[in-house]
């Protein structure tokens, strides 16, 4: 009887297949590359990102002056318009001074009459003194003549004072600017009646511009005179470094806010009325801060290479919060006491050894 060899062929087939598979596996395997060693600067994450309180406001002049007349009269002409730049003592408006001129003439007539009366009284006194010396008149009559001369002299002095006042008022017919500045408003027009103390124009001095804003009561304790403040204005390309000039200690009972004025540096293009925001630093957060140069992107995620106790680098994804031109705030993924690579080498990989070139806090 012939023996069947099929059961023996099956084990041989699997042995050959396994041998081939084993050979293919060994030929397809790649050896993991050995970790590299890099000499790179290492930094310890710091905490203390500034907490910024931003509030809107406007640029105002520290010298906003109401220009008014000191006498009553109709306005003959106003020589400037809104936006015009003016110099100190420049004539801005002219007032009809007909009444003042009439007062000057009356005062001059009074001076002339008082002067004539005084001269007559002095002549009488000289004549009566000669008679008194010869005993022709009594002492009582002489006393009356002297009193008359003194009274006429005092009346002359009063008339001269009234004339000086009338002449000084004549100078006020020309309304002048008290400062160098810009006309920002015309309250009156030619033909209107000017009254003493009633504004005709409003002039803002060119220097001493302030940023004025109103701070919430809850933030007031963190703001003090002399504190530095970054002011961002819509009309200027870069922020201004301001300083808190005044904090008005009386708040609005409705809005519960307090007026704060910030002194601004002399800057080209800075004008009253510009809108912007003041950024007050009111505290420090506990979130760590890392420089932007330490950030690297791996797989679409931003993070840093954290250095462990054995000196190995491990990529750590970070959740980024606020950003500044040179640093970022870390909301999650890093503790304030952890070390990380401050300047990343593009070929740096997980597990590479880091030899610290320098340590920075």
């Amino acid at each position: 009887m012939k023996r069947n060899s099929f059961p023996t062929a099956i084990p041989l087939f699997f042995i050959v297949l396994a041998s081939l598979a084993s050979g293919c596996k060994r030929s397809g395997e790649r050896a993991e590359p050995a970790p590299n060693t890099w000499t790179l600067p290492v930094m310890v994450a710091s905490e203390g990102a500034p907490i910024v309180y931003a509030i809107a406001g406007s640029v105002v002049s520290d010298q906003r002056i109401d220009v008014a007349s000191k006498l009553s009269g109709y306005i003959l002409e106003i020589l400037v318009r809104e936006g015009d730049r003016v110099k100190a003592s420049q004539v801005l408006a002219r007032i009809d001074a007909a009444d003042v001129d009439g007062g000057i003439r009356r005062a001059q007539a009074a001076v002339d009459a008082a002067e004539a009366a005084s001269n007559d009284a002095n002549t009488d006194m000289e004549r009566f003194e000669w008679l008194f010396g010869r005993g022709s008149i009594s002492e009582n009559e002489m006393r009356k003549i002297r009193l008359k001369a003194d009274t006429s002299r005092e009346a002359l002095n009063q008339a001269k004072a009234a004339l000086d006042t009338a002449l000084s008022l004549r100078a006020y017919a020309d309304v002048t600017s008290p400062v160098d500045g810009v006309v920002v408003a015309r309250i009156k027009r030619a033909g209107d009646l000017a009254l003493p103390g009633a504004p005709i124009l409003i002039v803002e001095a060119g220097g001493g511009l302030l940023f004025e804003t109103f701070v919430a009561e809850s933030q007031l304790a963190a703001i003090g005179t002399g504190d530095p403040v970054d002011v961002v204005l819509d009309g200027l390309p870069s922020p201004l470094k301001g300083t808190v000039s005044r904090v008005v200690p009386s708040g609005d009972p409705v809005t519960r806010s307090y007026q704060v004025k910030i002194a601004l540096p002399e800057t080209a293009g800075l004008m009253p009325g510009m809108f912007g925001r003041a950024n007050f630093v009111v505290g420090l957060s506990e979130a760590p801060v890392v420089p932007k140069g330490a950030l690297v992107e791996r797989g679409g995620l931003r993070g840093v290479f954290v250095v462990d106790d054995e000196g190995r680098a491990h990529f750590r994804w970070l959740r980024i919060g606020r950003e500044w031109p040179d640093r970022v705030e870390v909301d999650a993924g890093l503790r304030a006491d952890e070390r990380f690579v401050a300047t990343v080498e593009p070929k740096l990989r997980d597990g590479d050894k880091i030899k610290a070139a320098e340590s920075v806090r």
Side-chain angles (χ1 to χ4, degrees):
M1 188 173 179
K2 189 176 180 180
R3 296 179 64 186
N4 191 352
S5 61
F6 182 72
T8 305
I10 291 177
L12 288 174
F13 171 76
F14 281 108
I15 290 171
V16 172
L17 184 63
S19 176
L20 290 174
S22 176
C24 291
K25 182 178 180 181
R26 283 195 299 271
S27 64
E29 281 182 346
R30 277 195 208 172
E32 287 293 329
N36 293 322
T37 300
W38 305 93
T39 301
L40 297 172
V42 175
M43 176 179 286
V44 178
S46 62
E47 62 181 2
I51 300 173
V52 177
Y53 169 65
I55 189 70
S58 300
V59 177
V60 299
S61 173
D62 198 24
Q63 292 182 334
R64 189 182 179 96
I65 301 169
D66 293 341
V67 179
S69 172
K70 289 188 177 181
L71 52 84
S72 297
Y74 288 100
I75 300 173
L76 294 177
E77 58 180 338
I78 297 179
L79 305 175
V80 293
R81 296 182 178 276
E82 295 91 337
D84 289 351
R85 293 192 173 274
V86 297
K87 298 290 186 180
S89 302
Q90 178 180 336
V91 177
L92 306 181
R94 290 192 170 94
I95 308 299
D96 184 3
D99 292 342
V100 176
D101 291 338
I104 291 173
R105 289 192 293 270
R106 288 191 297 271
Q108 184 63 59
V111 168
D112 294 342
E115 192 169 23
S118 178
N119 290 337
D120 186 60
N122 288 333
T123 300
D124 287 345
M125 187 179 67
E126 290 175 0
R127 183 165 58 86
F128 273 82
E129 283 181 343
W130 182 80
L131 293 174
F132 179 71
R134 299 187 63 179
S136 300
I137 61 173
S138 66
E139 185 176 350
N140 185 48
E141 288 178 315
M142 190 65 224
R143 183 182 60 79
K144 290 181 179 179
I145 291 299
R146 287 173 178 167
L147 178 61
K148 180 181 177 182
D150 291 342
T151 302
S152 62
R153 188 165 46 251
E154 184 62 30
L156 176 60
N157 291 336
Q158 291 180 1
K160 288 181 177 179
L163 178 60
D164 290 341
T165 301
L167 290 172
S168 65
L169 288 175
R170 184 64 180 83
Y172 296 139
D174 289 341
V175 180
T176 59
S177 174
V179 295
D180 295 346
V182 178
V183 178
V184 296
R186 288 181 19 156
I187 310 301
K188 299 284 189 178
R189 296 290 183 269
D192 290 345
L193 179 63
L195 298 173
I200 299 174
L201 299 161
I202 297 177
V203 174
E204 285 187 347
L209 294 179
L210 302 173
F211 186 83
E212 183 181 77
T213 187
F214 290 85
V215 173
E217 182 179 2
S218 59
Q219 304 292 340
L220 190 65
I223 298 172
T225 302
D227 289 351
V229 184
D230 286 341
V231 179
V232 180
L233 298 175
D234 291 349
L236 295 180
S238 56
L240 301 180
K241 299 293 183 181
T243 305
V244 175
S245 174
R246 294 192 291 275
V247 178
V248 180
S250 178
D252 188 323
V254 177
T255 62
R256 299 295 179 187
S257 59
Y258 291 76
Q259 187 182 51
V260 175
K261 294 188 176 184
I262 302 166
L264 299 176
E266 293 289 341
T267 305
L270 182 63
M271 295 179 291
M274 297 181 77
F275 177 81
R277 294 183 182 278
N279 297 317
F280 296 94
V281 177
V282 295
L284 298 175
S285 71
E286 297 180 356
V289 178
V290 301
K292 280 191 173 180
L295 294 178
V296 64
E297 188 169 325
R298 293 289 188 270
L301 301 175
R302 295 170 76 192
V304 295
F305 276 97
V306 177
V307 181
D308 62 19
D309 294 338
E310 297 179 355
R312 294 189 179 276
H314 303 282
F315 178 74
R316 179 85 60 79
W317 169 75
L318 302 180
R319 188 171 71 203
I320 304 299
R322 295 175 295 165
E323 297 193 28
W324 296 272
D326 59 344
R327 64 195 192 280
V328 298
E329 183 181 39
V330 179
D331 287 343
L334 190 69
R335 297 192 311 271
D337 58 347
E338 288 187 291
R339 298 190 306 155
F340 60 92
V341 178
T343 303
V344 178
E345 164 63 38
K347 296 181 181 180
L348 181 63
R349 295 178 293 113
D350 265 45
D352 283 358
K353 293 281 290 183
I354 301 297
K355 181 180 178 182
E358 56 180 314
S359 294
V360 184
R361 289 199 68 89

